[in-house]
Amino acid sequence: MSSFLVCIRIVLLVLFTVLLLPFHLVFLAFAPKRANQSAYLWHFVSRWVVGVRVTISGTPQPGPVLYISNHVSWMDIVVLSRAAPLSFVAKADVAKWPVFSWLAKWQRTIFVERDKRSKTGIAVDAMAERLESGDALVLFPEGTSSEGWGTLPFKSALIGAVVATATRMEDHNIDLFVQPVALAYTSLRGIALGRMEAERVAWIGDIDLLPHLWSVITTGGLEAKIVFGAPVEVNPDTNRKTLTKMMEAEVLMLLEEARP
């Protein structure tokens, strides 16, 4: 995609954002679930700008649910938002990133200081409150992005939020679920992405964000696949570490299914 065409698309996205912003701010203040709907609409346009086409296999479980997904790139937010109106659980550093800090707040992201155990309880409480209200949340339990071919070890601390929520919701007769999700970037301009080419999409290590963003947009023709596994009901007796190991195995299996 030429730089000129990319600039035109970005300008159109900015204009669309300006038109949508007043409604979104009202929703954030008075009807948070409607804010998730407007963010869902915004991502529809942003996927066109980035030039990514998304296919979905399986069915996302309606909220309250915690989706457990592998993490490859900043694009995961844009791609996963194709599946349903949802919010993310992200590390606190995201709140300082250019462009994406605004985008994360737009989508009612819960920010977590993963390096401070004293803050984990606060994050769990925030997640529990959102799940109690019926929200759909996405958690990247690897804690950082990977190269997209496998997964890093899953961390159990924040997955424990669903167990805490199940305990609080026990008397409300509301079912609570976690659902494994695999996200794979499968092809670029019609050519399947193998392990050696995956780094063109993955955002890992010390790669600068904005140059990587520009590279992906100007290249265009990216295809991604989301695979939803079977949802698992959570109850107060669920062991979070056992649940974490189960989700790690399921996501890895789904990832193998999603890859070209």
Side-chain angles (χ1 to χ4, degrees), residues 44-78:
F44 179 86
V45 179
S46 67
R47 283 190 296 275
W48 172 71
V49 172
V50 174
V52 57
R53 187 174 68 177
V54 183
T55 57
I56 298 175
S57 177
T59 304
Q61 171 73 29
V65 60
L66 181 65
Y67 300 123
I68 306 295
S69 175
N70 62 309
H71 189 21
V72 183
S73 171
W74 53 266
M75 280 188 298
D76 297 352
I77 295 173
V78 176

PDB file of all heavy atoms in Angstrom, residues 44-78:
ATOM      1  N   PHE A  44     -13.764  -1.594  13.680  1.00  0.00           N
ATOM      2  CA  PHE A  44     -14.151  -2.017  12.334  1.00  0.00           C
ATOM      3  C   PHE A  44     -13.446  -1.145  11.294  1.00  0.00           C
ATOM      4  O   PHE A  44     -12.913  -1.640  10.296  1.00  0.00           O
ATOM      5  CB  PHE A  44     -15.667  -1.920  12.174  1.00  0.00           C
ATOM      6  CG  PHE A  44     -16.164  -2.302  10.808  1.00  0.00           C
ATOM      7  CD1 PHE A  44     -16.429  -3.621  10.494  1.00  0.00           C
ATOM      8  CD2 PHE A  44     -16.365  -1.332   9.834  1.00  0.00           C
ATOM      9  CE1 PHE A  44     -16.882  -3.979   9.231  1.00  0.00           C
ATOM     10  CE2 PHE A  44     -16.809  -1.679   8.566  1.00  0.00           C
ATOM     11  CZ  PHE A  44     -17.073  -3.008   8.259  1.00  0.00           C
ATOM     12  N   VAL A  45     -13.420   0.156  11.552  1.00  0.00           N
ATOM     13  CA  VAL A  45     -12.756   1.088  10.638  1.00  0.00           C
ATOM     14  C   VAL A  45     -11.235   0.963  10.753  1.00  0.00           C
ATOM     15  O   VAL A  45     -10.514   1.005   9.754  1.00  0.00           O
ATOM     16  CB  VAL A  45     -13.206   2.536  10.919  1.00  0.00           C
ATOM     17  CG1 VAL A  45     -12.501   3.521   9.985  1.00  0.00           C
ATOM     18  CG2 VAL A  45     -14.719   2.661  10.763  1.00  0.00           C
ATOM     19  N   SER A  46     -10.738   0.776  11.971  1.00  0.00           N
ATOM     20  CA  SER A  46      -9.283   0.694  12.160  1.00  0.00           C
ATOM     21  C   SER A  46      -8.689  -0.532  11.477  1.00  0.00           C
ATOM     22  O   SER A  46      -7.554  -0.501  11.001  1.00  0.00           O
ATOM     23  CB  SER A  46      -8.932   0.698  13.658  1.00  0.00           C
ATOM     24  OG  SER A  46      -9.385  -0.479  14.301  1.00  0.00           O
ATOM     25  N   ARG A  47      -9.450  -1.620  11.408  1.00  0.00           N
ATOM     26  CA  ARG A  47      -8.944  -2.806  10.689  1.00  0.00           C
ATOM     27  C   ARG A  47      -8.782  -2.515   9.198  1.00  0.00           C
ATOM     28  O   ARG A  47      -7.863  -3.024   8.548  1.00  0.00           O
ATOM     29  CB  ARG A  47      -9.876  -4.006  10.909  1.00  0.00           C
ATOM     30  CG  ARG A  47      -9.710  -4.666  12.259  1.00  0.00           C
ATOM     31  CD  ARG A  47     -10.476  -5.977  12.343  1.00  0.00           C
ATOM     32  NE  ARG A  47     -11.906  -5.784  12.224  1.00  0.00           N
ATOM     33  CZ  ARG A  47     -12.697  -5.479  13.247  1.00  0.00           C
ATOM     34  NH1 ARG A  47     -12.193  -5.316  14.463  1.00  0.00           N
ATOM     35  NH2 ARG A  47     -13.980  -5.321  13.070  1.00  0.00           N
ATOM     36  N   TRP A  48      -9.681  -1.707   8.659  1.00  0.00           N
ATOM     37  CA  TRP A  48      -9.578  -1.287   7.256  1.00  0.00           C
ATOM     38  C   TRP A  48      -8.323  -0.443   7.046  1.00  0.00           C
ATOM     39  O   TRP A  48      -7.615  -0.592   6.058  1.00  0.00           O
ATOM     40  CB  TRP A  48     -10.830  -0.516   6.866  1.00  0.00           C
ATOM     41  CG  TRP A  48     -10.758   0.136   5.522  1.00  0.00           C
ATOM     42  CD1 TRP A  48     -10.782  -0.483   4.302  1.00  0.00           C
ATOM     43  CD2 TRP A  48     -10.646   1.535   5.272  1.00  0.00           C
ATOM     44  NE1 TRP A  48     -10.693   0.450   3.298  1.00  0.00           N
ATOM     45  CE2 TRP A  48     -10.607   1.698   3.869  1.00  0.00           C
ATOM     46  CE3 TRP A  48     -10.577   2.663   6.088  1.00  0.00           C
ATOM     47  CZ2 TRP A  48     -10.497   2.951   3.266  1.00  0.00           C
ATOM     48  CZ3 TRP A  48     -10.487   3.909   5.491  1.00  0.00           C
ATOM     49  CH2 TRP A  48     -10.434   4.041   4.099  1.00  0.00           C
ATOM     50  N   VAL A  49      -8.028   0.423   7.996  1.00  0.00           N
ATOM     51  CA  VAL A  49      -6.841   1.274   7.893  1.00  0.00           C
ATOM     52  C   VAL A  49      -5.569   0.434   7.957  1.00  0.00           C
ATOM     53  O   VAL A  49      -4.640   0.614   7.153  1.00  0.00           O
ATOM     54  CB  VAL A  49      -6.837   2.346   9.006  1.00  0.00           C
ATOM     55  CG1 VAL A  49      -5.511   3.109   9.020  1.00  0.00           C
ATOM     56  CG2 VAL A  49      -7.996   3.314   8.814  1.00  0.00           C
ATOM     57  N   VAL A  50      -5.511  -0.491   8.903  1.00  0.00           N
ATOM     58  CA  VAL A  50      -4.329  -1.339   9.055  1.00  0.00           C
ATOM     59  C   VAL A  50      -4.188  -2.299   7.880  1.00  0.00           C
ATOM     60  O   VAL A  50      -3.080  -2.683   7.498  1.00  0.00           O
ATOM     61  CB  VAL A  50      -4.393  -2.119  10.391  1.00  0.00           C
ATOM     62  CG1 VAL A  50      -3.263  -3.115  10.498  1.00  0.00           C
ATOM     63  CG2 VAL A  50      -4.346  -1.135  11.571  1.00  0.00           C
ATOM     64  N   GLY A  51      -5.311  -2.672   7.272  1.00  0.00           N
ATOM     65  CA  GLY A  51      -5.275  -3.603   6.157  1.00  0.00           C
ATOM     66  C   GLY A  51      -5.201  -5.044   6.595  1.00  0.00           C
ATOM     67  O   GLY A  51      -4.467  -5.840   6.010  1.00  0.00           O
ATOM     68  N   VAL A  52      -5.987  -5.377   7.627  1.00  0.00           N
ATOM     69  CA  VAL A  52      -5.979  -6.747   8.144  1.00  0.00           C
ATOM     70  C   VAL A  52      -7.371  -7.349   7.994  1.00  0.00           C
ATOM     71  O   VAL A  52      -8.378  -6.713   8.320  1.00  0.00           O
ATOM     72  CB  VAL A  52      -5.515  -6.797   9.621  1.00  0.00           C
ATOM     73  CG1 VAL A  52      -6.377  -5.927  10.514  1.00  0.00           C
ATOM     74  CG2 VAL A  52      -5.494  -8.229  10.133  1.00  0.00           C
ATOM     75  N   ARG A  53      -7.414  -8.555   7.495  1.00  0.00           N
ATOM     76  CA  ARG A  53      -8.672  -9.290   7.374  1.00  0.00           C
ATOM     77  C   ARG A  53      -8.666 -10.407   8.406  1.00  0.00           C
ATOM     78  O   ARG A  53      -7.677 -11.128   8.545  1.00  0.00           O
ATOM     79  CB  ARG A  53      -8.820  -9.867   5.972  1.00  0.00           C
ATOM     80  CG  ARG A  53     -10.192 -10.511   5.739  1.00  0.00           C
ATOM     81  CD  ARG A  53     -10.368 -10.954   4.312  1.00  0.00           C
ATOM     82  NE  ARG A  53      -9.485 -12.060   3.980  1.00  0.00           N
ATOM     83  CZ  ARG A  53      -9.487 -12.676   2.803  1.00  0.00           C
ATOM     84  NH1 ARG A  53     -10.288 -12.254   1.839  1.00  0.00           N
ATOM     85  NH2 ARG A  53      -8.663 -13.682   2.574  1.00  0.00           N
ATOM     86  N   VAL A  54      -9.797 -10.560   9.100  1.00  0.00           N
ATOM     87  CA  VAL A  54      -9.871 -11.491  10.226  1.00  0.00           C
ATOM     88  C   VAL A  54     -10.934 -12.545   9.966  1.00  0.00           C
ATOM     89  O   VAL A  54     -12.061 -12.228   9.568  1.00  0.00           O
ATOM     90  CB  VAL A  54     -10.206 -10.744  11.533  1.00  0.00           C
ATOM     91  CG1 VAL A  54     -10.219 -11.705  12.715  1.00  0.00           C
ATOM     92  CG2 VAL A  54      -9.222  -9.610  11.770  1.00  0.00           C
ATOM     93  N   THR A  55     -10.578 -13.794  10.181  1.00  0.00           N
ATOM     94  CA  THR A  55     -11.557 -14.877  10.153  1.00  0.00           C
ATOM     95  C   THR A  55     -11.655 -15.478  11.552  1.00  0.00           C
ATOM     96  O   THR A  55     -10.677 -15.493  12.307  1.00  0.00           O
ATOM     97  CB  THR A  55     -11.170 -15.977   9.149  1.00  0.00           C
ATOM     98  OG1 THR A  55      -9.871 -16.491   9.477  1.00  0.00           O
ATOM     99  CG2 THR A  55     -11.138 -15.424   7.736  1.00  0.00           C
ATOM    100  N   ILE A  56     -12.843 -15.961  11.886  1.00  0.00           N
ATOM    101  CA  ILE A  56     -13.099 -16.475  13.233  1.00  0.00           C
ATOM    102  C   ILE A  56     -13.594 -17.904  13.148  1.00  0.00           C
ATOM    103  O   ILE A  56     -14.472 -18.232  12.333  1.00  0.00           O
ATOM    104  CB  ILE A  56     -14.141 -15.607  13.967  1.00  0.00           C
ATOM    105  CG1 ILE A  56     -13.618 -14.173  14.137  1.00  0.00           C
ATOM    106  CG2 ILE A  56     -14.488 -16.202  15.322  1.00  0.00           C
ATOM    107  CD1 ILE A  56     -14.635 -13.226  14.737  1.00  0.00           C
ATOM    108  N   SER A  57     -13.035 -18.755  13.978  1.00  0.00           N
ATOM    109  CA  SER A  57     -13.475 -20.138  14.097  1.00  0.00           C
ATOM    110  C   SER A  57     -13.928 -20.370  15.533  1.00  0.00           C
ATOM    111  O   SER A  57     -13.245 -19.971  16.474  1.00  0.00           O
ATOM    112  CB  SER A  57     -12.334 -21.095  13.733  1.00  0.00           C
ATOM    113  OG  SER A  57     -12.719 -22.440  13.912  1.00  0.00           O
ATOM    114  N   GLY A  58     -15.063 -21.003  15.697  1.00  0.00           N
ATOM    115  CA  GLY A  58     -15.608 -21.173  17.037  1.00  0.00           C
ATOM    116  C   GLY A  58     -16.503 -20.004  17.402  1.00  0.00           C
ATOM    117  O   GLY A  58     -16.626 -19.027  16.668  1.00  0.00           O
ATOM    118  N   THR A  59     -17.111 -20.087  18.566  1.00  0.00           N
ATOM    119  CA  THR A  59     -18.083 -19.077  18.999  1.00  0.00           C
ATOM    120  C   THR A  59     -17.660 -18.461  20.324  1.00  0.00           C
ATOM    121  O   THR A  59     -17.441 -19.188  21.302  1.00  0.00           O
ATOM    122  CB  THR A  59     -19.474 -19.718  19.172  1.00  0.00           C
ATOM    123  OG1 THR A  59     -19.862 -20.358  17.950  1.00  0.00           O
ATOM    124  CG2 THR A  59     -20.504 -18.658  19.536  1.00  0.00           C
ATOM    125  N   PRO A  60     -17.535 -17.126  20.354  1.00  0.00           N
ATOM    126  CA  PRO A  60     -17.196 -16.483  21.631  1.00  0.00           C
ATOM    127  C   PRO A  60     -18.337 -16.601  22.635  1.00  0.00           C
ATOM    128  O   PRO A  60     -19.500 -16.385  22.292  1.00  0.00           O
ATOM    129  CB  PRO A  60     -16.935 -15.028  21.234  1.00  0.00           C
ATOM    130  CG  PRO A  60     -17.647 -14.829  19.936  1.00  0.00           C
ATOM    131  CD  PRO A  60     -17.638 -16.156  19.242  1.00  0.00           C
ATOM    132  N   GLN A  61     -17.985 -16.949  23.844  1.00  0.00           N
ATOM    133  CA  GLN A  61     -18.950 -17.047  24.928  1.00  0.00           C
ATOM    134  C   GLN A  61     -19.383 -15.646  25.349  1.00  0.00           C
ATOM    135  O   GLN A  61     -18.540 -14.773  25.576  1.00  0.00           O
ATOM    136  CB  GLN A  61     -18.314 -17.782  26.115  1.00  0.00           C
ATOM    137  CG  GLN A  61     -19.137 -17.778  27.396  1.00  0.00           C
ATOM    138  CD  GLN A  61     -20.340 -18.695  27.302  1.00  0.00           C
ATOM    139  OE1 GLN A  61     -20.317 -19.688  26.593  1.00  0.00           O
ATOM    140  NE2 GLN A  61     -21.387 -18.357  28.026  1.00  0.00           N
ATOM    141  N   PRO A  62     -20.695 -15.375  25.454  1.00  0.00           N
ATOM    142  CA  PRO A  62     -21.135 -14.055  25.937  1.00  0.00           C
ATOM    143  C   PRO A  62     -20.684 -13.825  27.378  1.00  0.00           C
ATOM    144  O   PRO A  62     -20.487 -14.773  28.139  1.00  0.00           O
ATOM    145  CB  PRO A  62     -22.660 -14.116  25.832  1.00  0.00           C
ATOM    146  CG  PRO A  62     -22.959 -15.289  24.939  1.00  0.00           C
ATOM    147  CD  PRO A  62     -21.830 -16.254  25.124  1.00  0.00           C
ATOM    148  N   GLY A  63     -20.560 -12.546  27.763  1.00  0.00           N
ATOM    149  CA  GLY A  63     -20.157 -12.230  29.115  1.00  0.00           C
ATOM    150  C   GLY A  63     -21.212 -12.614  30.140  1.00  0.00           C
ATOM    151  O   GLY A  63     -22.389 -12.789  29.787  1.00  0.00           O
ATOM    152  N   PRO A  64     -20.830 -12.796  31.386  1.00  0.00           N
ATOM    153  CA  PRO A  64     -19.481 -12.550  31.914  1.00  0.00           C
ATOM    154  C   PRO A  64     -18.509 -13.672  31.555  1.00  0.00           C
ATOM    155  O   PRO A  64     -18.786 -14.839  31.806  1.00  0.00           O
ATOM    156  CB  PRO A  64     -19.701 -12.482  33.433  1.00  0.00           C
ATOM    157  CG  PRO A  64     -20.921 -13.339  33.663  1.00  0.00           C
ATOM    158  CD  PRO A  64     -21.783 -13.178  32.450  1.00  0.00           C
ATOM    159  N   VAL A  65     -17.378 -13.261  30.955  1.00  0.00           N
ATOM    160  CA  VAL A  65     -16.391 -14.238  30.527  1.00  0.00           C
ATOM    161  C   VAL A  65     -15.009 -13.594  30.512  1.00  0.00           C
ATOM    162  O   VAL A  65     -14.869 -12.401  30.246  1.00  0.00           O
ATOM    163  CB  VAL A  65     -16.740 -14.777  29.113  1.00  0.00           C
ATOM    164  CG1 VAL A  65     -16.761 -13.656  28.090  1.00  0.00           C
ATOM    165  CG2 VAL A  65     -15.778 -15.877  28.686  1.00  0.00           C
ATOM    166  N   LEU A  66     -14.014 -14.414  30.811  1.00  0.00           N
ATOM    167  CA  LEU A  66     -12.630 -13.981  30.683  1.00  0.00           C
ATOM    168  C   LEU A  66     -12.010 -14.794  29.561  1.00  0.00           C
ATOM    169  O   LEU A  66     -11.832 -16.012  29.676  1.00  0.00           O
ATOM    170  CB  LEU A  66     -11.860 -14.209  31.984  1.00  0.00           C
ATOM    171  CG  LEU A  66     -10.389 -13.779  31.982  1.00  0.00           C
ATOM    172  CD1 LEU A  66     -10.249 -12.269  31.830  1.00  0.00           C
ATOM    173  CD2 LEU A  66      -9.675 -14.241  33.255  1.00  0.00           C
ATOM    174  N   TYR A  67     -11.707 -14.126  28.436  1.00  0.00           N
ATOM    175  CA  TYR A  67     -11.030 -14.791  27.331  1.00  0.00           C
ATOM    176  C   TYR A  67      -9.538 -14.865  27.639  1.00  0.00           C
ATOM    177  O   TYR A  67      -8.917 -13.858  28.004  1.00  0.00           O
ATOM    178  CB  TYR A  67     -11.233 -14.022  26.022  1.00  0.00           C
ATOM    179  CG  TYR A  67     -12.676 -13.871  25.592  1.00  0.00           C
ATOM    180  CD1 TYR A  67     -13.225 -12.597  25.378  1.00  0.00           C
ATOM    181  CD2 TYR A  67     -13.490 -14.973  25.387  1.00  0.00           C
ATOM    182  CE1 TYR A  67     -14.535 -12.444  24.971  1.00  0.00           C
ATOM    183  CE2 TYR A  67     -14.808 -14.833  24.992  1.00  0.00           C
ATOM    184  CZ  TYR A  67     -15.332 -13.565  24.775  1.00  0.00           C
ATOM    185  OH  TYR A  67     -16.641 -13.419  24.382  1.00  0.00           O
ATOM    186  N   ILE A  68      -8.968 -16.041  27.486  1.00  0.00           N
ATOM    187  CA  ILE A  68      -7.548 -16.257  27.738  1.00  0.00           C
ATOM    188  C   ILE A  68      -6.857 -16.420  26.391  1.00  0.00           C
ATOM    189  O   ILE A  68      -7.085 -17.410  25.690  1.00  0.00           O
ATOM    190  CB  ILE A  68      -7.317 -17.510  28.611  1.00  0.00           C
ATOM    191  CG1 ILE A  68      -8.130 -17.428  29.911  1.00  0.00           C
ATOM    192  CG2 ILE A  68      -5.833 -17.691  28.896  1.00  0.00           C
ATOM    193  CD1 ILE A  68      -7.710 -16.324  30.837  1.00  0.00           C
ATOM    194  N   SER A  69      -6.008 -15.459  26.017  1.00  0.00           N
ATOM    195  CA  SER A  69      -5.438 -15.460  24.674  1.00  0.00           C
ATOM    196  C   SER A  69      -3.919 -15.356  24.696  1.00  0.00           C
ATOM    197  O   SER A  69      -3.335 -14.762  25.608  1.00  0.00           O
ATOM    198  CB  SER A  69      -6.006 -14.274  23.874  1.00  0.00           C
ATOM    199  OG  SER A  69      -5.397 -14.165  22.596  1.00  0.00           O
ATOM    200  N   ASN A  70      -3.298 -15.935  23.658  1.00  0.00           N
ATOM    201  CA  ASN A  70      -1.874 -15.666  23.439  1.00  0.00           C
ATOM    202  C   ASN A  70      -1.713 -14.229  22.950  1.00  0.00           C
ATOM    203  O   ASN A  70      -2.683 -13.576  22.543  1.00  0.00           O
ATOM    204  CB  ASN A  70      -1.290 -16.646  22.413  1.00  0.00           C
ATOM    205  CG  ASN A  70      -1.945 -16.527  21.047  1.00  0.00           C
ATOM    206  OD1 ASN A  70      -3.173 -16.560  20.920  1.00  0.00           O
ATOM    207  ND2 ASN A  70      -1.129 -16.396  20.014  1.00  0.00           N
ATOM    208  N   HIS A  71      -0.485 -13.733  22.997  1.00  0.00           N
ATOM    209  CA  HIS A  71      -0.235 -12.312  22.704  1.00  0.00           C
ATOM    210  C   HIS A  71       0.944 -12.196  21.750  1.00  0.00           C
ATOM    211  O   HIS A  71       2.031 -12.697  22.032  1.00  0.00           O
ATOM    212  CB  HIS A  71       0.058 -11.591  24.016  1.00  0.00           C
ATOM    213  CG  HIS A  71       0.124 -10.105  23.915  1.00  0.00           C
ATOM    214  ND1 HIS A  71      -0.450  -9.389  22.888  1.00  0.00           N
ATOM    215  CD2 HIS A  71       0.707  -9.187  24.732  1.00  0.00           C
ATOM    216  CE1 HIS A  71      -0.232  -8.090  23.083  1.00  0.00           C
ATOM    217  NE2 HIS A  71       0.471  -7.955  24.186  1.00  0.00           N
ATOM    218  N   VAL A  72       0.695 -11.555  20.599  1.00  0.00           N
ATOM    219  CA  VAL A  72       1.712 -11.468  19.556  1.00  0.00           C
ATOM    220  C   VAL A  72       2.143 -10.039  19.264  1.00  0.00           C
ATOM    221  O   VAL A  72       3.323  -9.763  19.071  1.00  0.00           O
ATOM    222  CB  VAL A  72       1.200 -12.126  18.244  1.00  0.00           C
ATOM    223  CG1 VAL A  72       2.283 -12.110  17.162  1.00  0.00           C
ATOM    224  CG2 VAL A  72       0.719 -13.537  18.498  1.00  0.00           C
ATOM    225  N   SER A  73       1.187  -9.118  19.230  1.00  0.00           N
ATOM    226  CA  SER A  73       1.481  -7.782  18.707  1.00  0.00           C
ATOM    227  C   SER A  73       0.504  -6.762  19.253  1.00  0.00           C
ATOM    228  O   SER A  73      -0.544  -7.122  19.821  1.00  0.00           O
ATOM    229  CB  SER A  73       1.387  -7.825  17.169  1.00  0.00           C
ATOM    230  OG  SER A  73       1.446  -6.541  16.595  1.00  0.00           O
ATOM    231  N   TRP A  74       0.844  -5.488  19.036  1.00  0.00           N
ATOM    232  CA  TRP A  74      -0.106  -4.419  19.356  1.00  0.00           C
ATOM    233  C   TRP A  74      -1.398  -4.595  18.546  1.00  0.00           C
ATOM    234  O   TRP A  74      -2.467  -4.140  18.951  1.00  0.00           O
ATOM    235  CB  TRP A  74       0.521  -3.051  19.046  1.00  0.00           C
ATOM    236  CG  TRP A  74       1.061  -2.935  17.643  1.00  0.00           C
ATOM    237  CD1 TRP A  74       2.347  -3.165  17.243  1.00  0.00           C
ATOM    238  CD2 TRP A  74       0.346  -2.606  16.457  1.00  0.00           C
ATOM    239  NE1 TRP A  74       2.479  -2.994  15.880  1.00  0.00           N
ATOM    240  CE2 TRP A  74       1.257  -2.636  15.371  1.00  0.00           C
ATOM    241  CE3 TRP A  74      -0.979  -2.266  16.205  1.00  0.00           C
ATOM    242  CZ2 TRP A  74       0.885  -2.366  14.057  1.00  0.00           C
ATOM    243  CZ3 TRP A  74      -1.364  -1.992  14.891  1.00  0.00           C
ATOM    244  CH2 TRP A  74      -0.436  -2.043  13.839  1.00  0.00           C
ATOM    245  N   MET A  75      -1.325  -5.278  17.414  1.00  0.00           N
ATOM    246  CA  MET A  75      -2.495  -5.486  16.568  1.00  0.00           C
ATOM    247  C   MET A  75      -3.523  -6.409  17.196  1.00  0.00           C
ATOM    248  O   MET A  75      -4.670  -6.468  16.732  1.00  0.00           O
ATOM    249  CB  MET A  75      -2.078  -6.054  15.214  1.00  0.00           C
ATOM    250  CG  MET A  75      -1.553  -5.020  14.261  1.00  0.00           C
ATOM    251  SD  MET A  75      -1.319  -5.733  12.631  1.00  0.00           S
ATOM    252  CE  MET A  75      -0.083  -6.979  12.984  1.00  0.00           C
ATOM    253  N   ASP A  76      -3.133  -7.141  18.229  1.00  0.00           N
ATOM    254  CA  ASP A  76      -4.068  -8.075  18.855  1.00  0.00           C
ATOM    255  C   ASP A  76      -5.341  -7.364  19.314  1.00  0.00           C
ATOM    256  O   ASP A  76      -6.436  -7.939  19.256  1.00  0.00           O
ATOM    257  CB  ASP A  76      -3.409  -8.763  20.056  1.00  0.00           C
ATOM    258  CG  ASP A  76      -2.211  -9.619  19.657  1.00  0.00           C
ATOM    259  OD1 ASP A  76      -1.978  -9.794  18.450  1.00  0.00           O
ATOM    260  OD2 ASP A  76      -1.496 -10.081  20.561  1.00  0.00           O
ATOM    261  N   ILE A  77      -5.207  -6.122  19.773  1.00  0.00           N
ATOM    262  CA  ILE A  77      -6.367  -5.359  20.229  1.00  0.00           C
ATOM    263  C   ILE A  77      -7.339  -5.146  19.080  1.00  0.00           C
ATOM    264  O   ILE A  77      -8.546  -5.367  19.202  1.00  0.00           O
ATOM    265  CB  ILE A  77      -5.924  -4.005  20.827  1.00  0.00           C
ATOM    266  CG1 ILE A  77      -5.092  -4.229  22.083  1.00  0.00           C
ATOM    267  CG2 ILE A  77      -7.139  -3.137  21.139  1.00  0.00           C
ATOM    268  CD1 ILE A  77      -4.483  -2.952  22.642  1.00  0.00           C
ATOM    269  N   VAL A  78      -6.805  -4.729  17.946  1.00  0.00           N
ATOM    270  CA  VAL A  78      -7.624  -4.467  16.770  1.00  0.00           C
ATOM    271  C   VAL A  78      -8.248  -5.756  16.243  1.00  0.00           C
ATOM    272  O   VAL A  78      -9.431  -5.788  15.886  1.00  0.00           O
ATOM    273  CB  VAL A  78      -6.773  -3.786  15.671  1.00  0.00           C
ATOM    274  CG1 VAL A  78      -7.585  -3.600  14.393  1.00  0.00           C
ATOM    275  CG2 VAL A  78      -6.237  -2.444  16.158  1.00  0.00           C
TER     276      VAL A  78
END
